[in-house]
Amino acid sequence: GAVEEVVGAMRRFEGDSELLASGCGALAGLAANHPLNQSSIMACRSIEVIVDAMKRFSKHARLQTMAFGALGNLAANNPNNQAAIVQADGLQRVKVALQQHQTRPVVLTAALAALWCLLKRHSGNTDLAGQLGLAELAMLALRRHPDDRGLKSMASGALKCLVPGLAEALAGQASSTPSSVRQGPGPDSVRS
């Protein structure tokens, strides 16, 4: 099927950053809100292909953005995929991106969205992310790009998982926020 074709092409052309970015984008689209596709994509050992591409082209902004979209959509609402992605070095990829792409809000937003998907309702991943210093890196991204609403929304979601009590503290602030303030998208699907 389509999943096998995409992952096969990514394996055959592992040195082509643009093809890899497009492949990650295709996998992100196929995985979005589709548990059956998530399973098919995982069965092709796609995580290794995605993470290898991210390692090989760590400074390639488009590839990183698309890859985080794929990882986030694979992780969304799927504890087994969350664990597999982290085991394959997924949180380390988030850390590298948050360190190397501080001037690129689109990459930061995608990394933070994937982080949120990897952490949501998964305490083991949350503990490891805390040990890696991802809360501090998320805060640094927020300080660098305070007016980026998408980044702010994704960082807020990830930080609520990483910082105990933050959700409650923000809920107390929200009661004084006008109802016309719209919240951003959640971690259930990260479209690329």
Side-chain angles (χ1 to χ4, degrees):
V3 170
E4 294 83 4
E5 291 294 323
V6 170
V7 175
M10 292 174 72
R11 282 194 177 102
R12 283 190 307 279
F13 299 100
E14 65 184 20
D16 185 335
S17 61
E18 288 304 319
L19 182 133
L20 292 170
S22 295
C24 287
L27 294 175
L30 289 167
N33 298 312
H34 202 293
L36 185 59
N37 282 353
Q38 285 177 328
S39 296
S40 296
I41 293 167
M42 294 298 287
C44 291
R45 302 182 55 86
S46 61
I47 293 173
E48 293 84 0
V49 175
I50 295 166
V51 170
D52 286 346
M54 295 175 85
K55 288 178 182 176
R56 188 173 295 113
F57 298 103
S58 66
K59 295 185 189 230
H60 191 287
R62 181 171 173 267
L63 186 142
Q64 294 297 313
T65 302
M66 296 295 131
F68 281 124
L71 294 180
N73 285 349
L74 286 168
N77 302 312
N78 193 314
N80 292 334
N81 290 359
Q82 288 173 311
I85 292 166
V86 168
Q87 187 174 355
D89 225 11
L91 286 178
Q92 189 62 35
R93 295 296 94 213
V94 172
K95 180 177 182 175
V96 169
L98 292 177
Q99 291 170 328
Q100 289 185 352
H101 293 278
Q102 279 294 321
T103 60
R104 295 183 170 126
V106 69
V107 177
L108 295 174
T109 301
L112 291 166
L115 176 61
W116 188 6
C117 291
L118 289 165
L119 301 182
K120 187 176 178 188
R121 294 187 293 271
H122 200 293
S123 60
N125 288 357
T126 302
D127 292 343
L128 181 56
Q131 293 168 17
L132 288 172
L134 297 182
E136 293 83 356
L137 289 169
M139 291 300 301
L140 178 60
L142 280 170
R143 282 194 297 277
R144 286 213 162 178
H145 306 282
D147 298 326
D148 189 308
R149 291 177 58 173
L151 188 147
K152 212 181 233 184
S153 177
M154 296 302 115
S156 174
L159 286 167
K160 286 176 187 174
C161 295
L162 284 166
V163 181
L166 181 61
E168 293 79 14
L170 291 174
Q173 281 184 332
S175 63
S176 63
T177 303
S179 61
S180 63
V181 175
R182 185 177 169 272
Q183 295 298 316
D188 294 335
S189 180
V190 182
R191 281 295 230 202
S192 294

